[in-house]
């Protein structure tokens, strides 16, 4: 006979308890996250945090396009890394895994009284899987944090809807996860709003707006908003216009036909409609499970609204759908065994498919592959030389140089914004004054970096427009400015052209750095 301890249920199987098995799973995930190279923008996030710690002004001296919480939350990882000598990415992965372990403990407490014992255990494993293993190579992304926040917030709301007594300290812990996860993107705020509306519809006159979790979440939202206004006003003044005028042109989906883009998104989000179908066919009636399915739909809508196609954007939708499926598959009563086995099989199949692709990419060395010309130039350049890469692809401009130990000599991640700020031929647009103004600001910042932090080599991608492909001409754009053109002609010479790549070399010894004043 197995006793329920009331907190973390002790399920003896193969001589191991449920918490031990979960701990082993999280430990294995940590090892995996350290073995698989990061495939998203996590290295840039840590770079921005390190620059902030070094005293540089974010949104001016270093340009980050996300709201400040994104890099503020990474500062502890960088600071601990500097104190311990560990890598900042390694410390970040450790902290992410500890946070998810804490979230699973909170989930277990919330699920008591809402779910049967088997579903509660399965939910804990599914939440850890969705937050740590599903995003392999991109652990710590905003969508994963929002998924954890949504799962805990919906579980707490389900307790409120059923009138279950809930310790105020547990509610505050949920609010801590929610305050971080929901604040990372403005899209995510719709989840707690809709959950609250559902709670109002369920409780009617019994609904109480003032609760521990709503007080803390509201206070955190006000404090964060005030912090943005007072500490980082440049985010609203400069970064929001930059993103609004350029971000729509930078994505995998922007370069393919609409029908192909729709098919890609459907494949990326296929687990969401499948989960809803399986829940309906199984006769699932539990509000918590359907709340998670609803969150999956909302996350999927966010993916469609963003229309980017990056894998990590779908992590919230995929994770919430898998969590709902896992709870349905694990329930102890209410569905035929054969149907439950089919649910289990579908969970396993989708989990394998969603995790398999990034693992295969990492195993084959294709996770972040730079252009061969970039790799060759960085390998052949003297170790103490400074190389600036002008390209829209972050893997060329920042990620690969950082991976081989090269310092980044631009305040920007890459020239990703040119796709949205220039015309089809790659030249400055004359039909949109607002975009032209933003483009000039970006070009001024690159020009300032050339003067303030001189480099020895400039590797620039120059591509003429072709059918279905926008032109990309950063050198010509930078040299529109007479002073920059004079600097370029007097200090650099073209030494090599290889396909779209131009390699420019400094003709005289590199001058000393000068104070680079913030331009924003």
């Amino acid at each position: 006979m197995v006793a329920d301890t009331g907190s973390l249920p002790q399920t003896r199987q193969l001589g191991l308890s449920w918490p031990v098995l979960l701990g082993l799973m999280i430990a294995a995930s940590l090892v995996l996250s350290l073995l698989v190279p990061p495939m998203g923008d996590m290295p840039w996030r840590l770079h921005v945090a390190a620059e902030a710690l070094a005293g540089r002004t974010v949104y001016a001296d270093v340009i980050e396009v996300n709201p400040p919480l994104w890099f503020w939350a990474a500062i502890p990882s960088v600071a601990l890394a500097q104190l311990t000598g560990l890598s900042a990415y390694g410390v970040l992965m450790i902290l992410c895994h500890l946070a998810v372990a804490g979230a699973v403990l909170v989930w277990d407490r919330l699920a008591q009284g809402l779910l049967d014992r088997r579903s509660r255990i399965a939910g804990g494993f599914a939440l850890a899987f969705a937050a740590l293993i599903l995003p392999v190579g991109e652990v710590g992304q905003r969508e994963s944090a929002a998924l954890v926040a949504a799962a805990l917030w919906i579980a707490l709301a389900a307790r409120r809807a059923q009138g279950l007594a809930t310790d105020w300290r547990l509610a505050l812990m949920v609010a801590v996860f929610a305050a971080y996860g929901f604040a990372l993107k403005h899209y995510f705020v719709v989840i707690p709003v809709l959950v609250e509306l559902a709670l109002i519809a369920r409780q009617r006159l019994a609904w109480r707006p003032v609760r521990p979790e709503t007080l803390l979440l509201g206070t955190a939202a006000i404090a964060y908003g005030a912090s943005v206004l007072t500490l980082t006003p440049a985010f609203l003044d400069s970064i929001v216009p930059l993103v609004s005028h350029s971000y729509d042109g930078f994505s995998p989906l922007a370069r393919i036909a609409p029908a192909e883009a729709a098919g890609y998104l459907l494949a990326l989000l296929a687990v969401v409609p499948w989960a809803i179908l399986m829940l309906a066919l199984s006769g699932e009636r539990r509000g918590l499970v359907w709340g998670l399915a609803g969150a999956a739909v909302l996350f999927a809508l966010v993916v469609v609204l963003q229309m980017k196609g990056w894998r990590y954007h779908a992590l919230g939708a995929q994770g919430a759908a898998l969590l709902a499926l896992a709870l349905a598959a694990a329930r102890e009563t209410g569905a035929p065994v054969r149907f439950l086995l089919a649910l289990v099989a579908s969970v396993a199949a989708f989990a394998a498919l969603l995790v398999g692709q990034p693992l295969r990419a990492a195993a084959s060395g294709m996770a972040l592959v730079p252009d061969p010309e970039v790799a060759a130039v960085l390998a052949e350049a003297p170790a103490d030389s400074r190389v600036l890469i002008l390209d829209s692809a972050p893997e060329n401009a920042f990620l690969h140089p950082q991976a081989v130990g090269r310092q980044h000599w631009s305040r920007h991640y890459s020239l990703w914004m040119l796709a949205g700020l220039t015309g089809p031929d790659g030249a400055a647009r004359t039909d949109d004054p607002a975009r032209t103004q933003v483009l000039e600001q970006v070009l001024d910042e690159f020009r300032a970096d050339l003067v303030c932090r001189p480099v020895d080599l400039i590797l620039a991608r120059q591509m003429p427009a072709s059918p279905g492909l926008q032109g990309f001409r950063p050198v010509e754009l930078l040299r529109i400015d007479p002073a920059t053109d004079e600097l370029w002609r007097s200090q650099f010479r073209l030494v090599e052209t290889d396909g779209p790549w131009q390699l420019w070399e400094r003709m005289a010894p590199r001058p000393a750095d000068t104070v680079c004043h913030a331009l924003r």
Side-chain angles (χ1 to χ4, degrees), residues 43-64 71 74-75 78-79 82 398 402 407-412 449 453:
W44 177 254
R45 177 193 187 189
L46 293 168
H47 171 77
V48 174
E51 294 286 275
L53 271 182
R56 302 192 73 198
T57 303
V58 180
Y59 304 126
D61 299 324
V62 57
I63 307 301
E64 167 59 55
F71 73 86
I75 288 177
V78 176
Q82 293 174 354
F398 173 76
Q402 189 205 49
Q407 188 170 341
H408 189 57
W409 297 106
S410 171
R411 70 188 72 197
H412 282 274
D449 288 336
R453 296 190 290 177

Side-chain angles (χ1 to χ4, degrees), residues 10-318:
Q10 304 292 314
T11 308
R12 295 286 175 179
Q13 293 181 353
L14 302 178
L16 297 176
S17 66
W18 181 80
V20 172
L21 288 173
L22 178 67
L24 291 173
M25 174 182 168
I26 292 177
S29 170
L30 177 59
V31 173
L32 184 65
S33 69
L34 295 175
L35 292 175
V36 175
M39 291 179 283
D41 52 5
M42 207 62 66
W44 177 254
R45 177 193 187 189
L46 293 168
H47 171 77
V48 174
E51 294 286 275
L53 271 182
R56 302 192 73 198
T57 303
V58 180
Y59 304 126
D61 299 324
V62 57
I63 307 301
E64 167 59 55
V65 299
N66 290 294
L69 182 60
W70 179 236
F71 73 86
W72 285 346
I75 288 177
S77 297
V78 176
L80 285 173
Q82 293 174 354
L83 287 174
T84 61
L86 299 174
S87 73
Y89 183 71
V91 174
L92 178 63
M93 290 300 98
I94 292 172
L95 294 180
C96 285
H97 282 72
L98 290 175
V100 171
V104 174
L105 294 177
V106 175
W107 163 270
D108 182 74
R109 291 285 304 278
L110 291 168
Q112 292 175 27
L114 284 174
L115 301 172
D116 58 75
R117 183 165 166 272
R118 191 166 67 190
S119 294
R120 195 167 83 237
I121 296 172
F125 276 95
L127 182 59
F129 176 89
L132 296 175
I133 298 178
L134 179 63
V136 59
E138 301 187 271
V139 174
Q141 272 290 1
R142 291 153 290 179
E143 283 71 12
S144 296
L147 166 66
V148 170
L152 299 183
W153 193 263
I154 291 169
L156 179 56
R159 292 187 67 86
R160 301 295 192 197
Q162 294 187 20
L164 297 176
T166 303
D167 190 293
W168 63 270
R169 291 165 294 188
L170 181 63
L172 291 181
M173 285 189 282
V174 172
V176 169
F177 283 99
Y180 175 67
F182 293 143
L184 289 171
K185 283 187 178 181
H186 60 284
Y187 298 104
F188 299 153
V189 177
V190 72
I191 294 177
V193 171
L194 291 181
V195 169
E196 198 66 20
L197 291 175
L199 190 59
I200 293 172
R202 174 66 182 269
Q203 291 188 309
R204 297 182 182 275
L205 295 178
W207 175 72
R208 295 291 181 269
V210 180
R211 308 187 301 274
E213 66 272 22
T214 56
L215 282 174
L216 181 54
L217 185 62
T219 301
I222 293 170
Y224 180 45
S227 298
V228 172
L229 291 173
T230 57
L231 300 178
T232 59
F235 172 73
L236 299 175
D237 297 337
S238 300
I239 303 303
V240 170
L242 169 65
V243 172
S244 63
H245 289 301
S246 62
Y247 196 52
D248 57 344
F250 179 65
S251 78
L253 298 187
R255 298 187 290 271
I256 60 178
E260 188 179 352
Y264 176 80
L265 287 179
L266 182 60
L268 197 65
L269 301 170
V271 66
V272 176
W274 176 259
I276 292 173
L277 175 63
M278 295 298 282
L279 294 183
L281 292 177
S282 68
E284 179 62 65
R285 296 182 178 276
R286 291 172 293 181
L288 172 55
V289 180
W290 279 106
L292 291 168
V297 172
L298 291 174
F299 279 124
L301 289 175
V302 169
V303 175
V304 174
L305 287 172
Q306 293 181 105
M307 279 300 290
K308 295 301 173 187
W310 287 308
R311 170 183 171 264
Y312 76 85
H313 280 180
L315 291 173
Q318 294 169 348

Side-chain angles (χ1 to χ4, degrees), residues 421-494:
L421 295 177
T422 59
D425 60 351
R429 295 173 59 164
T430 58
D431 60 335
D432 191 334
R435 288 179 189 261
T436 301
Q437 182 178 0
V438 173
L439 174 62
E440 278 305 313
Q441 177 70 54
V442 171
L443 295 176
D444 282 346
E445 288 161 350
F446 272 92
R447 292 165 185 147
D449 288 336
L450 285 174
V451 174
C452 302
R453 296 190 290 177
V455 297
D456 301 295
L457 295 169
I458 299 175
L459 182 62
R461 187 196 291 267
Q462 290 277 111
M463 296 182 64
S466 60
L469 187 64
Q470 182 179 11
F472 183 77
R473 298 153 56 184
V475 174
E476 294 175 28
L477 288 171
L478 287 168
R479 296 182 69 174
I480 289 175
D481 175 63
T484 306
D485 182 60
E486 173 60 25
L487 178 149
W488 205 287
R489 286 190 299 104
S490 62
Q491 298 188 22
F492 292 93
R493 64 182 175 185
L494 181 64

